[in-house]
Amino acid sequence: MTIYTYKIFVALTIVTALAACNKHTPAWNQMDMAEGLMNTQPDSALTVLDGIPTSDVKGKETSARYALLKSMALDKNYIDTTTFDVLQPAIDYYITDGTPDEQLRTYYYQGRIYQNKGDEENAMLSFINAQEINDATDTLTLAHLLVAQGTLYLRQYKVHDFVANNIESAKLYGAIGKHIPEIKSYTKAIDGYVMMDNKEAADSILSICIPLVQKNPDGEAYLFSSLLAYTMIFGTDSEIKNFLDEYRDSELTTDDTMNFAQGYAKIGEYDRALELISSISPNAYTIDSLKYASVKIDILEKQGNYEQALKLYKDYSAMLERYQNNLLSQDLLFVDKKHQLEMGKRVGRRISHHRIEMRQRGLHAFDLCKHVGEFHMRVEQIVRNQHGPFAFRGEHAIVDDAFRIRVEIPRHARIRSEQSVHSLQRRFGQFHALVDLS
């Protein structure tokens, strides 16, 4: 070994030793403790992290770990963060130099902050980036990510994706023994199937969820709302009446109250239905306000109060149009399409670069074409698995899809409130005639 080689060896040894020492500092040991408490005692984890002096958090890796753990602790203590002040060191380091699990967690918490800020487009991009990470083993974070992404899908009227995400997250929660979150995810899937008027699919999830609740009674509160919505839509008059009588004194959420009112209207108890629906005031231009108007219009019409029904129908139509225009003015609805286009461009650049390399190596033209073709097929299959069977129809087809979505919102997108619009439109002229006669 030459003197020069020996010096390099010694230098590398010292650097490695220093790096190892850095991971055994008091700050690093406290972060180990906080991480161990994170899922069972998140309040204690946050206390431990807050107790680490800022001066002890030195170096990019240590700063990144502290930033990620602090972001996790804040989220688990239901402290919503709308800035990247805490997480930024983790983004700067882990996105390029982290392990798959560190990258997954960083993208997830980045997406959660974007959600808290109301920036749903970037939230979705963060979640998509997280899902493209290979070899991640953090099942809990992946399950949380699917739930958060599912919320964005529901905002986009993509009820199928909302359901799929929650079924997948439920399976992940169940695999690691997190049965209450598992129940919550299954109940969201039930809600989605009720929105799609798919009783058979809802029944299949209920057959899984009810035994889970029997074994985990704390999950009953989450199942109640889903059973209520299910019964009001699919139940017979006697089943609806029995359910309403049994739970009429229960404490109800705004959505539960609207479902109760809808149930009373279905069995002919219109005064009770109107009393219930009039007891709440949802925020304007939200999904709740649209459902509120839809249910109340139905009650007023069945009571014969056509003048009020007509007035509310006009308000409802304006609210629905404004809500949809607001959604379409954002990029959220098309963020997956944009991501797909960008991925296609990346594939094209990689293939072009690969061709140049192969030519430089002097491969035969036939072998080159075969090699590039196989490479493209592998990439295409990956994209198909991630984005569905239509991922490679070309940019024009993607643009056509975007145009179709803007001009013709999918039938299931309007959920239940949109169904009311169609039925009310058919009766719009009748309202005018009846108002004139009254």
Side-chain angles (χ1 to χ4, degrees):
M1 180 183 296
T2 66
I3 293 177
Y4 178 73
T5 305
Y6 176 75
K7 287 181 178 179
I8 292 177
F9 174 76
V10 171
L12 289 172
T13 302
I14 292 172
V15 170
T16 304
L18 288 173
C21 290
N22 186 50
K23 292 188 178 183
H24 292 88
T25 62
W28 199 271
N29 292 335
Q30 285 175 282
M31 286 190 284
D32 286 341
M33 183 188 305
E35 187 168 13
L37 294 167
M38 192 65 70
N39 291 323
T40 55
Q41 301 176 57
D43 55 337
S44 298
L46 184 58
T47 300
V48 171
L49 291 168
D50 284 339
I52 300 175
T54 305
S55 58
D56 288 353
V57 182
K58 299 176 180 177
K60 291 183 179 180
E61 186 176 8
T62 301
S63 297
R65 189 184 185 204
Y66 178 83
L68 182 55
L69 288 173
K70 184 70 175 284
S71 298
M72 293 169 66
L74 290 171
D75 186 69
K76 290 178 183 294
N77 281 282
Y78 306 102
I79 301 173
D80 289 340
T81 305
T82 57
T83 69
F84 289 98
D85 295 349
V86 175
L87 185 62
Q88 194 60 51
I91 296 171
D92 294 339
Y93 183 80
Y94 283 143
I95 295 301
T96 54
D97 298 311
T99 65
D101 282 338
E102 289 165 344
Q103 292 175 335
L104 172 67
R105 292 168 189 156
T106 301
Y107 274 127
Y108 169 67
Y109 286 103
Q110 182 186 51
R112 293 289 294 120
I113 292 172
Y114 278 128
Q115 268 188 306
N116 294 338
K117 286 164 63 73
D119 187 348
E120 296 181 341
E121 178 192 1
N122 279 315
M124 180 63 83
L125 283 172
S126 295
F127 296 149
I128 291 173
N129 286 331
Q131 288 175 302
E132 291 180 350
I133 296 169
N134 296 320
D135 302 323
T137 60
D138 187 349
T139 303
L140 184 60
T141 298
L142 181 57
H144 289 339
L145 184 149
L146 289 167
V147 172
Q149 187 183 46
T151 302
L152 296 180
Y153 279 137
L154 187 59
R155 282 267 302 137
Q156 300 173 59
Y157 295 139
K158 297 179 179 177
V159 186
H160 284 283
D161 292 325
F162 168 75
V163 169
N165 267 43
N166 279 287
I167 290 176
E168 188 176 351
S169 66
K171 292 176 181 177
L172 292 176
Y173 285 130
I176 56 177
K178 300 288 184 181
H179 297 302
I180 298 302
E182 179 186 11
I183 290 168
K184 289 172 68 175
S185 289
Y186 276 133
T187 59
K188 289 177 182 178
I190 294 167
D191 293 341
Y193 282 132
V194 170
M195 292 175 193
M196 292 187 284
D197 204 26
N198 191 336
K199 183 178 184 299
E200 183 178 355
D203 286 340
S204 69
I205 302 299
L206 276 170
S207 68
I208 299 171
C209 199
I210 290 175
L212 271 173
V213 171
Q214 291 171 343
K215 294 178 182 177
N216 303 273
D218 289 344
E220 185 175 352
Y222 302 108
L223 182 60
F224 170 77
S225 294
S226 297
L227 278 176
L228 169 60
Y230 172 94
T231 305
M232 297 309 105
I233 298 302
F234 300 128
T236 63
D237 285 357
S238 60
E239 288 171 338
I240 292 172
K241 181 172 175 51
N242 289 338
F243 192 101
L244 295 174
D245 288 344
E246 183 176 356
Y247 296 104
R248 67 188 307 160
D249 296 325
S250 301
E251 186 174 343
L252 303 175
T253 65
T254 296
D255 193 59
D256 291 342
T257 301
M258 289 189 286
N259 284 330
F260 257 68
Q262 188 177 27
Y264 279 118
K266 286 186 73 172
I267 62 175
E269 297 187 25
Y270 306 126
D271 291 341
R272 177 61 177 147
L274 189 59
E275 179 187 352
L276 270 175
I277 200 71
S278 299
S279 69
I280 57 174
S281 301
N283 293 329
Y285 307 111
T286 63
I287 287 289
D288 278 349
S289 68
L290 292 171
K291 181 173 180 177
Y292 170 87
S294 173
V295 173
K296 193 168 183 178
I297 289 167
D298 186 57
I299 296 168
L300 291 170
E301 184 193 356
K302 287 177 178 176
Q303 281 189 319
N305 195 337
Y306 300 109
E307 187 171 4
Q308 285 190 41
L310 176 60
K311 181 179 181 301
L312 187 55
Y313 168 71
K314 291 177 179 178
D315 293 340
Y316 171 82
S317 298
M319 281 192 295
L320 181 62
E321 183 176 1
R322 177 168 172 175
Y323 180 85
Q324 291 175 345
N325 287 339
N326 180 56
L327 178 63
L328 292 169
S329 69
Q330 303 174 21
D331 289 329
L332 175 63
L333 194 62
F334 310 103
V335 67
D336 50 352
K337 297 290 185 184
K338 288 165 61 179
H339 182 80
Q340 181 179 318
L341 281 169
E342 179 59 29
M343 193 168 186
K345 291 175 183 177
R346 290 178 188 175
V347 169
R349 287 195 294 269
R350 288 174 187 169
I351 292 174
S352 297
H353 179 69
H354 207 69
R355 283 174 177 158
I356 293 170
E357 281 189 347
M358 293 301 101
R359 288 194 186 103
Q360 288 173 343
R361 293 179 185 181
L363 287 178
H364 190 273
F366 175 79
D367 292 333
L368 172 62
C369 292
K370 179 181 177 183
H371 188 87
V372 172
E374 290 174 351
F375 173 78
H376 184 272
M377 288 174 64
R378 288 200 302 273
V379 176
E380 180 175 337
Q381 187 59 50
I382 292 170
V383 177
R384 285 182 189 279
N385 291 340
Q386 292 180 346
H387 299 282
F390 303 107
F392 273 86
R393 291 182 298 165
E395 293 190 11
H396 292 298
I398 293 169
V399 172
D400 289 343
D401 281 349
F403 180 77
R404 178 181 56 78
I405 292 171
R406 285 187 180 275
V407 177
E408 179 191 347
I409 298 293
R411 180 181 62 83
H412 67 265
R414 307 250 164 95
I415 313 177
R416 206 149 279 286
S417 59
E418 183 69 355
Q419 295 173 3
S420 299
V421 172
H422 295 313
S423 63
L424 287 168
Q425 283 173 336
R426 289 194 297 269
R427 296 194 292 267
F428 190 80
Q430 297 173 10
F431 278 154
H432 279 290
L434 291 165
V435 169
D436 291 339
L437 291 172
S438 61

